[in-house]
Amino acid sequence: MLRHLTALVALSALCLGVVAVPTPPAFAYEPHVLRYTDGLDVSSLNPFFASSGNAVALNELTGAEFTRIDAKGNSIPELITVIPTTANGGISADGRTITWHLRRGVKWSDGAPFDAADVTYSVSVAKNEQNNLFVHDPWERLIGADAPDKYTVRFHLKETYATFVADYFSTQSNSVILPKHILGPGTLINEAPYNGLPVGIGPFRYVAYHRGDNVEMEANPYYWRGQPKLKRIIYKIVPDQNTQMTQLQTGEIDLWDLINGTVAERARALPGKSSATRPSNFMSGIYFNVKHPQLSDSAVRRALRLATDRTTVFDKVVLRNGTLVESVVPQISRNYLALPLTPYDPAQGAKLLDGAGWKVGPDGIRHKDGIALALDVAIPSGYAPSATLAAILEGDWRKLGVDVTIHTWSTSQYFAIYSAGGILQTGKFDVALFSQSSGPVFSNINGIYDCAGAPPHGSNVNRYCNSKVDALNDRYLHSYDAKQQRDAADAFQRLIDNDAPTVVLYERAFLAVFDNRLTGYHPHGFSYWGDPMQLDI
């Protein structure tokens, strides 16, 4: 299951002006070389450890995965030959053994042969509790794996796990098959040099990673499907939106993905450029640290939701680049529930706070039991919409009697993993603004809104825990019956909505603007690229 984070990200204010600067000279066009950016830094090139959203896009190009996913959310065999089902014998009668049949003749991007030993080794790495995996949940459900032969692997589950096909080695999961011949036989890989430049089985392979600058890839000469049309891809780390705009205009980048906010229309209007918009599984929102005393009461969180003018934010901050939704589950996921939108009603929010015992003092700030309703709003640097949003929230919530302080962190520190002191992962905030992914194929919320998903075991940065939600999510995960899944998903979405650990602002649509010479680029809700083999410029 996808558990990566990406910035809703911070900008300056709504009245942000464009400062006139000299236009740099145009860059020379280089055939079959794609340069792109999405504004994010790299947390890790190994998906097991990656906490930033760009890990999925990079892994689609370079990684080793059982499956990829088509535009309708169907799993397509990549390094396996068939999707396991009960009908074809891939799922045992008790639902606890999954048999994977591996593709023969496949090679790693260094030319070494791929076989079942790599898969069982990767499972052992994932099961090693000393490894700092960003997402632990799927591996805790797995007893282990064995290989009857070089091209067959069996996963032995503790109990049935209905979303296995999306959660184990898919291009939308925080996992990747690892090369045993490079990393083995030891399974502790936190500090392995491999993490800085992985070897994979995708259509492209890593050449170099220049920290803070770029990641270079080239066509993988050993890829089993043949050679892609592009010869090289350069992912540029460009966190500043004005710089991104300039580089798109001059041709220093050919593709700018994940554009948001007021800059979107300017980018679309550039001559010689085209654009593509696709739905996503990223929920842009206001994430409350429910372990902090000011926010431990759901009434406070619901009051803040009532005092948040989501329609204005959606219209003026992100220019309607997405869809207003209420559920924490994205629309593209199976069993999404279209909950009614909470109206903007600050007066009702004030009544909720009064009823919860938070009274306005002489200083205009609410207090309860000697605690001020003072909130530290954390945002990442370099991305305008979140700074604009934070400024709006500061004004609106102060009218409600909430003392708001905006705290800006570097993007790398904001999204770092737990062991590296990441702000989200270690809970150094009262309120955090960002976009979090869930799904995308299924509606299970394990690792995000379950008790066991609190960092460092997952990305439940809210620290939200509701035993009823956990029980419903377990029912969803352990049933292959469509109706049971639907009923369970409906129920846990309603419960989470009532508890309000998050104010979902909107479901992001991903906008990319790119050079007209780029062809074969067909991204969709389950892929940043469509088919990377068809990309060319």
Side-chain angles (χ1 to χ4, degrees):
M1 170 173 294
L2 182 64
R3 292 284 185 274
H4 52 273
L5 309 175
T6 191
L8 194 171
V9 226
L11 269 170
S12 25
L14 274 170
C15 58
L16 177 70
V18 179
V19 179
V21 293
T23 301
F27 281 75
Y29 161 66
E30 192 172 355
H32 313 299
V33 177
L34 174 67
R35 295 175 172 87
Y36 85 97
T37 190
D38 56 19
L40 300 177
D41 202 345
V42 173
S43 57
S44 176
L45 291 177
N46 184 341
F48 273 122
F49 303 125
S51 59
S52 55
N54 51 13
V56 177
L58 292 167
N59 189 55
E60 276 194 65
L61 299 171
T62 62
E65 303 289 5
F66 279 166
T67 60
R68 48 196 171 90
I69 303 174
D70 69 14
K72 295 182 179 180
N74 300 311
S75 296
I76 306 299
E78 173 70 5
L79 296 182
I80 57 173
T81 58
V82 64
I83 304 297
T85 65
T86 51
N88 64 25
I91 303 176
S92 64
D94 64 1
R96 294 171 55 192
T97 300
I98 310 298
T99 301
W100 308 91
H101 297 286
L102 306 183
R103 198 175 296 280
R104 296 169 184 261
V106 172
K107 293 182 179 181
W108 290 93
S109 61
D110 63 356
F114 160 77
D115 61 33
D118 296 307
V119 180
T120 56
Y121 171 75
S122 302
V123 171
S124 297
V125 168
K127 295 287 292 178
N128 185 336
E129 295 181 357
Q130 296 182 65
N131 284 318
N132 298 323
L133 270 62
F134 185 57
V135 177
H136 291 259
D137 180 78
W139 310 103
E140 292 171 351
R141 299 175 184 275
L142 189 64
I143 297 171
D146 63 55
D149 58 58
K150 290 180 66 174
Y151 301 103
T152 307
V153 178
R154 293 182 301 212
F155 279 17
H156 302 285
L157 303 167
K158 294 177 181 177
E159 50 192 337
T160 56
Y161 188 42
T163 66
F164 71 88
V165 72
D167 288 0
Y168 295 122
F169 303 132
S170 84
T171 51
Q172 290 290 321
S173 69
N174 278 88
S175 63
V176 67
I177 303 171
L178 303 168
K180 183 179 180 181
H181 70 281
I182 294 176
L183 286 164
T187 60
L188 182 60
I189 66 167
N190 288 325
E191 305 300 327
Y194 170 90
N195 298 326
L197 205 66
V199 170
I201 307 181
F204 297 89
R205 64 181 181 182
Y206 291 117
V207 174
Y209 171 25
H210 304 105
R211 294 184 184 276
D213 188 18
N214 65 61
V215 178
E216 296 182 37
M217 293 159 273
E218 67 181 6
N220 177 6
Y222 302 105
Y223 185 49
W224 69 271
R225 283 204 288 160
Q227 289 296 283
K229 296 178 180 180
L230 286 175
K231 293 180 181 177
R232 293 174 62 221
I233 297 178
I234 300 173
Y235 172 72
K236 301 194 66 177
I237 300 169
V238 186
D240 180 75
Q241 286 197 327
N242 288 327
T243 305
Q244 293 160 7
M245 174 67 77
T246 299
Q247 292 193 5
L248 182 67
Q249 186 174 6
T250 62
E252 190 172 353
I253 57 174
D254 308 299
L255 167 66
W256 178 13
D257 199 11
L258 307 185
I259 306 175
N260 208 358
T262 56
V263 74
E265 291 308 309
R266 291 171 49 211
R268 277 193 176 116
L270 291 176
K273 311 299 179 187
S274 298
S275 64
T277 302
R278 62 194 187 275
S280 82
N281 62 315
F282 280 80
M283 316 306 289
S284 289
I286 302 166
Y287 293 81
F288 299 124
N289 188 335
V290 304
K291 292 299 183 184
H292 288 187
Q294 305 96 311
L295 295 165
S296 60
D297 186 349
S298 64
V300 174
R301 305 193 295 266
R302 290 196 302 272
L304 293 172
R305 180 169 61 186
L306 285 162
T308 301
D309 188 353
R310 288 185 282 179
T311 300
T312 295
V313 169
F314 188 54
D315 288 343
K316 305 223 177 215
V317 178
V318 297
L319 304 182
R320 305 188 69 81
N321 187 27
T323 307
L324 281 172
V325 294
E326 186 77 12
S327 177
V328 297
V329 169
Q331 295 178 93
I332 61 173
S333 299
R334 299 176 196 176
N335 308 127
Y336 159 78
L337 179 63
L339 293 164
L341 294 175
T342 299
Y344 174 54
D345 191 345
Q348 182 60 32
K351 289 180 181 179
L352 273 179
L353 290 176
D354 288 338
W358 291 92
K359 305 300 182 182
V360 179
D363 58 356
I365 303 302
R366 292 180 181 269
H367 297 77
K368 179 182 179 180
D369 299 331
I371 299 174
L373 191 50
L375 301 177
D376 182 284
V377 177
I379 60 175
S381 63
Y383 183 70
S386 57
T388 303
L389 170 62
I392 292 172
L393 293 179
E394 181 180 17
D396 287 349
W397 289 359
R398 280 185 182 276
K399 294 174 186 176
L400 206 63
V402 181
D403 186 15
V404 174
T405 301
I406 300 171
H407 197 156
T408 303
W409 301 88
S410 70
T411 301
S412 58
Q413 187 177 10
Y414 195 73
F415 292 107
I417 61 176
Y418 187 91
S419 62
I423 301 306
L424 296 176
Q425 283 278 299
T426 57
K428 295 175 184 173
F429 65 90
D430 296 318
V431 179
L433 308 183
F434 64 99
S435 296
Q436 176 155 264
S437 63
S438 66
V441 179
F442 296 95
S443 291
N444 56 309
I445 42 79
N446 53 303
I448 304 178
Y449 290 103
D450 64 324
C451 300
H457 302 292
S459 52
N460 179 359
V461 297
N462 302 82
R463 277 75 179 168
Y464 170 71
C465 181
N466 183 326
S467 60
K468 293 181 180 178
V469 169
D470 273 16
L472 288 163
N473 186 50
D474 282 345
R475 189 183 308 168
Y476 183 86
L477 293 175
H478 299 147
S479 174
Y480 292 108
D481 181 84
K483 185 180 184 305
Q484 288 185 22
Q485 284 195 326
R486 162 60 67 188
D487 291 346
D490 284 357
F492 69 60
Q493 286 174 80
R494 288 191 177 96
L495 280 174
I496 295 172
D497 183 57
N498 183 69
D499 288 343
T502 299
V503 177
V504 177
L505 294 170
Y506 65 102
E507 181 178 313
R508 287 188 64 174
F510 286 161
L511 170 67
V513 175
F514 51 92
D515 193 289
N516 284 341
R517 288 173 289 207
L518 179 62
T519 60
Y521 177 59
H522 303 293
H524 55 75
F526 301 98
S527 171
Y528 280 70
W529 305 104
D531 184 357
M533 294 288 285
Q534 301 305 314
L535 293 170
D536 201 9
I537 190 168

